[in-house]
Amino acid sequence: MHKKSMKFTYDDALLIVNNWAKDKFIKENIDYDESGEVPYFIQYLNYRSKLVIAKPRNVILSKQFSISPENKKGFDKLKEKLINGEDVNAYLSKSSIIANSVDGMLDNFGIKHFHLGEIVKNDFIKRTGEIALGLVTDSEVFFVVSKQHGKGYGDIWYEKDVLEIIHKEKPDLIKHCKVENMIGISPIISDTKDIKSYRNSNINSAITLDDGSTYMPFKLGQSLAGFSIFYTMEMQKIAKSIFNLTNELLKNNKNFVSI
């Protein structure tokens, strides 16, 4: 048998991971940006990060957390589902299933928001003005605070009070974001208006809390396209692994030579 010449490039590996993500979108009927401006795999990681994987979790409430009487029953049902490891994605934002929709509060603060209705309609729990804001890990959900959202309730997605509470009560959840061994960080970003301006301009900055502690974004910050830099790094890491493995297999296959 004649030897065949084959060259497998890093771009080939990127094509594989992006085609895989595109196939997932099509098979699972997920909305995504088809223009190609944002790699499909980055959109896929963005989509997956917004969901909650069904598994049993401890539920912990901050000292500041409270729910209004009209939404207590809905919240208690959500809490029960989380403890039992049931699917709670119906409680999330409707944009959670749109792959190219960026959740700035999640990417920058690590916070998901849950609606508190009791009736499911079109795959989602009935929308409520009051929402519960929580940080979800593999083993627990730390509900930080509840807030009213919508017209007339301000820029709740940019308010740093959620970081203040986590910093005081569960600092381990955001210790990977804390700025250490640096002083005199400038400019000081602390006001909601400034946080909003920087985030919406896709400019990464540290946020300064009331006691002077500073935190960088939860997922390394945003690219100019608005998506988390973390997703770009993950795509590159996986593509690099495919590139190395494939070329090692080609190198060891007697019927092929890599050129």
Side-chain angles (χ1 to χ4, degrees):
M1 181 179 293
H2 295 291
K3 288 185 177 182
K4 301 176 183 179
S5 295
M6 176 177 289
K7 185 176 182 179
F8 185 84
T9 68
Y10 175 73
D11 285 341
D12 292 328
L14 281 175
L15 185 62
I16 286 173
V17 297
N18 281 294
N19 283 344
W20 175 87
K22 184 177 182 180
D23 286 344
K24 291 285 284 185
F25 291 149
I26 294 171
K27 290 177 182 177
E28 298 179 18
N29 196 29
I30 300 166
D31 288 335
Y32 68 103
D33 179 4
E34 301 180 50
S35 69
E37 293 182 6
V38 179
Y40 301 131
F41 194 73
I42 287 178
Q43 292 186 60
Y44 182 77
L45 292 178
N46 178 63
Y47 158 70
R48 290 296 302 173
S49 74
K50 292 184 288 184
L51 303 181
V52 177
I53 296 173
K55 60 183 300 185
R57 289 178 170 87
N58 294 324
V59 174
I60 302 171
L61 310 183
S62 81
K63 296 175 183 177
Q64 306 297 318
F65 189 84
S66 64
I67 290 290
S68 61
E70 63 263 34
N71 288 316
K72 186 178 185 306
K73 188 174 180 181
F75 176 74
D76 286 345
K77 186 64 176 179
L78 168 63
K79 186 168 67 172
E80 179 184 354
K81 285 178 175 290
L82 287 165
I83 292 171
N84 292 335
E86 299 176 45
D87 188 343
V88 297
N89 289 315
Y91 289 83
L92 301 175
S93 166
K94 290 182 179 179
S95 64
S96 63
I97 58 173
I98 301 175
N100 65 317
S101 177
V102 174
D103 186 335
M105 176 175 259
L106 175 62
D107 287 347
N108 287 273
F109 293 166
I111 298 291
K112 297 181 192 290
H113 66 276
F114 298 84
H115 287 266
L116 305 172
E118 300 174 56
I119 302 171
V120 177
K121 184 177 181 180
N122 297 326
D123 298 325
F124 283 97
I125 285 287
K126 182 181 178 182
R127 308 289 86 180
T128 52
E130 183 181 25
I131 53 177
L133 306 179
L135 197 156
V136 180
T137 73
D138 280 344
S139 60
E140 71 178 64
V141 181
F142 179 55
F143 280 108
V144 185
V145 71
S146 70
K147 293 186 178 185
Q148 293 287 339
H149 81 302
K151 188 175 181 180
Y153 287 103
D155 296 316
I156 70 166
W157 315 115
Y158 307 91
E159 294 169 346
K160 69 179 177 66
D161 59 334
V162 290
L163 292 181
E164 296 279 7
I165 294 170
I166 299 171
H167 170 67
K168 292 175 182 176
E169 297 189 30
K170 297 278 288 184
D172 283 354
L173 296 179
I174 53 174
K175 65 180 180 181
H176 66 287
C177 312
K178 191 174 184 180
V179 178
E180 303 281 8
N181 305 317
M182 292 181 66
I183 60 173
I185 295 176
S186 180
I188 295 175
I189 306 299
S190 186
D191 184 77
T192 299
K193 182 177 68 174
D194 291 335
I195 294 171
K196 180 179 180 179
S197 177
Y198 272 69
R199 187 190 298 174
N200 289 352
S201 299
N202 296 326
I203 299 173
N204 300 310
S205 65
I207 294 177
T208 301
L209 303 186
D210 292 345
D211 68 358
S213 299
T214 52
Y215 285 87
M216 291 301 293
F218 194 79
K219 292 185 179 178
L220 306 180
Q222 301 161 261
S223 68
L224 290 177
F227 290 83
S228 171
I229 293 172
F230 175 79
Y231 305 144
T232 299
M233 294 174 63
E234 282 295 295
M235 180 182 70
Q236 292 172 339
K237 182 175 72 174
I238 293 171
K240 185 66 173 177
S241 296
I242 293 173
F243 170 77
N244 290 335
L245 178 60
T246 302
N247 278 292
E248 187 65 26
L249 291 172
L250 291 173
K251 178 182 178 181
N252 294 330
N253 192 319
K254 296 180 180 179
N255 294 322
F256 294 87
V257 292
S258 180
I259 61 173

